[in-house]
Amino acid sequence: MVTGRPWRAAVAVLLAIALAAVGAGPASAALTASLQSLALPTTPYSHNQQTITGRAVLTVTDTSAYLPPIPPLTPGIGTGAGWHVTEQASALTYSGPNNGTAIPASALAIVSVEAPVASSGSQPVDPTNGPTVPTVSPAGSLNSARMVLHANSGYGAGTYTQGINLSLTLPAQARAGTYTSTITTTIGSGP
């Protein structure tokens, strides 16, 4: 009789976050925002809860810059109303052969956001008027909308990028497979 230890296969949970951009509200075609796609690292199966982190980059463009009227040459161009960007996630749906279940959107969170960086040719970042990180911290669960960036009226003309640091709390005994969420990026007119 041959005896030995039972063999245990190593399994991994692959997490992919598909990110989508959606324009909403009174924003015009001159306002756009998008978040790059992010795949979180493959994580081994565990009987314990685990936290996985990653970083996505938000890109915001406002081409509706306000130029005041110059009588009698021009009547003024654009609204210059400012803008704000929010992020919100759906539950992470499971796909795979192991009968996994969805992970609630509350398990995906913003840990921190970085200061915005202006692209070449954009209006410089103004420390008071923006674009800036809101005074109410955007850190927290993405099961509700979180404002991550805004610009006051007359500011934020051009293209800006911002790093967003995310974490996913993976429940204990999450089944091996792929978990996918959609993070909806919404830009609206006005600070």
Side-chain angles (χ1 to χ4, degrees):
M1 179 175 181
V2 177
T3 61
R5 292 204 230 172
W7 182 78
R8 283 173 51 167
V11 295
V13 177
L14 172 65
L15 300 164
I17 299 177
L19 305 156
V22 175
S28 70
L31 295 174
T32 60
S34 63
L35 197 60
Q36 76 179 43
S37 291
L38 168 70
L40 295 175
T42 299
T43 304
Y45 175 85
S46 177
H47 292 286
N48 300 312
Q49 177 177 296
Q50 300 178 73
T51 301
I52 304 158
T53 60
R55 181 179 179 272
V57 176
L58 171 68
T59 301
V60 178
T61 301
D62 178 3
T63 58
S64 69
Y66 177 71
L67 298 174
I70 305 172
L73 303 175
T74 67
I77 301 169
T79 64
W83 46 264
H84 61 278
V85 179
T86 60
E87 305 290 352
Q88 184 172 1
S90 66
L92 289 93
T93 57
Y94 173 83
S95 63
N98 299 308
N99 298 322
T101 58
I103 297 173
S106 60
L108 184 60
I110 294 176
V111 176
S112 64
V113 295
E114 299 166 9
V117 176
S119 296
S120 178
S122 297
Q123 185 178 25
V125 173
D126 181 89
T128 303
N129 293 297
T132 60
V133 174
T135 54
V136 174
S137 173
S141 171
L142 283 170
N143 62 334
S144 61
R146 299 275 177 185
M147 186 185 305
V148 294
L149 193 62
H150 74 99
N152 289 333
S153 180
Y155 293 85
T159 299
Y160 303 87
T161 58
Q162 176 189 43
I164 299 177
N165 299 299
L166 302 168
S167 72
L168 175 65
T169 302
L170 191 61
Q173 300 176 339
R175 301 289 177 104
T178 301
Y179 294 83
T180 305
S181 176
T182 300
I183 298 178
T184 303
T185 298
T186 306
I187 186 166
S189 182

